[in-house]
Amino acid sequence: MATGGGVAGRSGLVYGFAAFGLWGLLPLYWELLSDTGAEEVLAHRMLWSLPTALLLLALVRSWSWIRPLLRQPARLGLLLLSASLITVNWYLFIWAVAHDRVLEASLGYFINPLLTIAMGVLLLGERLRRTQWAAVGIGASAVVVMSVAYGEVPWISLILSTTFALYSLTKKKTALDGLQGFTADSAIQFLPAVVFLAVLGARGDSTFTSEGTGHALLLVVSGLATALPLIFFGAAAVRLPLSTVGLMQYIAPTTMFLLGLFAFGEEMPPERWAGFVLVWVALCVLTWDVLRRARRSRRTVASSAAAPADRPRAAALSD
């Protein structure tokens, strides 16, 4: 698995770490809105994402991509699919936080990189090195151990992992920048959100104006809380192989797992501890492999740069 070369590869890694770090902390945000129905929180998240995206587009003056996109039905179909997948993923994650299922949600995101890597290898022809296969195998063992701890099919975990893995693949195919992809998804989500909130308000069930200014601001800012990690993720997805993105996704569930344990006080049986330790072993193997490859790449670049300078000297000696 290559991580991408040059500036694009390095910037892709930065974007990836930023995306998954922010995603790992999102349960703290949704916990502040846990007394509001997951459907309403989701609708506001969808509603305020589009104004946020348009504001960011105005700041960077990036509009030229919209008209060509509208003339490509195949890409529009992929965007409809990606918007649908991420909507399901958002809803279930918000619901899981509100119902004290953060640890189960974290398991979903532990499973997700394995599915993403499988898609990268099977569908896109990407290749993993032996060390990376070992890391994936250890991660798979961790998922099995953590699944056994539930004593039942972890449906929340499976739906979260499947929807996000398919979303990752779809994003790879659309080949839009992070901000562009987020804007396109938000445009598709906007109208359904408006209709739902209008119906909710007409029934008198909306909490937007009845729970105080702080509550309303939290709902509005959910657009920005959604935008930043998704934009960073989209930027990483078009700069890195899908398998690299998949392995980086261990950052988010690790953070969520720690939040579920220490911030939300969810139960932690020994089986989950065993799974968590295995995940960290997999991360250590992966980190060692990445550092080793980085050292080799630097040596190769240094050797290539030194070679031209040595040739004139060698020619002079031969004369």
Side-chain angles (χ1 to χ4, degrees), residues 15 49-70 72 75-76 78-80 82-83 86 90 167 170-189 226-239:
Y15 285 129
S49 289
L50 183 59
T52 303
L54 293 176
L55 177 60
L56 293 172
L57 280 180
L59 290 175
V60 300
R61 299 179 180 179
S62 176
W63 305 101
S64 60
W65 58 276
I66 298 177
R67 186 172 296 176
L69 176 63
L70 294 176
Q72 301 178 59
R75 292 179 78 192
L76 291 175
L78 287 173
L79 288 170
L80 178 61
S82 70
I86 201 62
W90 286 356
Y167 174 76
T170 306
K171 277 297 181 186
K172 190 76 172 178
K173 293 291 187 180
T174 57
L176 290 175
D177 197 300
L179 178 55
Q180 296 170 1
F182 173 66
T183 304
D185 286 344
S186 300
I188 294 171
Q189 293 172 319
T226 299
L228 289 180
L230 268 177
I231 290 170
F232 292 149
F233 171 76
V238 298
R239 289 169 171 82

Side-chain angles (χ1 to χ4, degrees), residues 22-105:
L22 289 172
W23 265 321
L25 295 172
L26 269 182
L28 295 173
Y29 193 92
W30 305 128
E31 175 66 17
L32 297 175
L33 293 164
S34 59
D35 291 334
T36 303
E39 298 86 355
E40 183 178 1
V41 175
L42 172 67
H44 276 286
R45 189 178 186 182
M46 293 163 61
L47 173 71
W48 298 108
S49 289
L50 183 59
T52 303
L54 293 176
L55 177 60
L56 293 172
L57 280 180
L59 290 175
V60 300
R61 299 179 180 179
S62 176
W63 305 101
S64 60
W65 58 276
I66 298 177
R67 186 172 296 176
L69 176 63
L70 294 176
R71 295 195 293 264
Q72 301 178 59
R75 292 179 78 192
L76 291 175
L78 287 173
L79 288 170
L80 178 61
L81 177 60
S82 70
S84 301
L85 289 167
I86 201 62
T87 298
V88 174
N89 187 276
W90 286 356
Y91 171 76
L92 189 56
F93 186 76
I94 294 169
W95 184 92
V97 173
H99 289 80
D100 300 321
R101 308 288 286 271
V102 174
L103 288 176
E104 192 168 350

Side-chain angles (χ1 to χ4, degrees), residues 139-250:
S141 300
V143 169
V144 171
V145 170
M146 297 173 74
S147 297
V148 170
Y150 288 106
E152 61 181 14
V153 176
W155 62 272
I156 293 176
S157 307
L158 293 175
I159 294 175
L160 285 174
S161 60
T162 302
T163 52
F164 199 80
L166 290 172
Y167 174 76
S168 301
L169 178 62
T170 306
K171 277 297 181 186
K172 190 76 172 178
K173 293 291 187 180
T174 57
L176 290 175
D177 197 300
L179 178 55
Q180 296 170 1
F182 173 66
T183 304
D185 286 344
S186 300
I188 294 171
Q189 293 172 319
F190 183 77
L191 186 57
V194 169
V195 171
F196 178 84
L197 290 172
V199 172
L200 200 67
R203 293 194 323 218
D205 295 330
S206 173
T207 65
F208 185 65
T209 58
S210 62
E211 298 295 327
T213 303
H215 176 79
L217 286 175
L218 282 173
L219 290 173
V220 171
V221 177
S222 65
L224 183 61
T226 299
L228 289 180
L230 268 177
I231 290 170
F232 292 149
F233 171 76
V238 298
R239 289 169 171 82
L240 298 172
L242 195 62
S243 49
T244 300
V245 175
L247 288 170
M248 290 183 74
Q249 289 172 19
Y250 281 116

Side-chain angles (χ1 to χ4, degrees), residues 254-314:
T254 298
T255 307
M256 293 175 198
F257 193 87
L258 292 173
L259 288 176
L261 179 63
F262 295 109
F264 303 133
E266 296 184 18
E267 293 184 4
M268 182 66 177
E271 294 87 350
R272 282 183 181 166
W273 274 118
F276 192 55
V277 170
L278 285 172
V279 168
W280 278 108
V281 171
L283 288 172
C284 289
V285 172
L286 178 61
T287 301
W288 174 78
D289 182 71
V290 170
L291 293 175
R292 183 186 62 168
R293 294 289 296 183
R295 284 195 298 269
R296 287 183 178 177
S297 297
R298 286 195 295 269
R299 289 171 186 167
T300 301
V301 171
S303 299
S304 301
D310 291 339
R311 288 194 193 104
R313 189 179 306 167

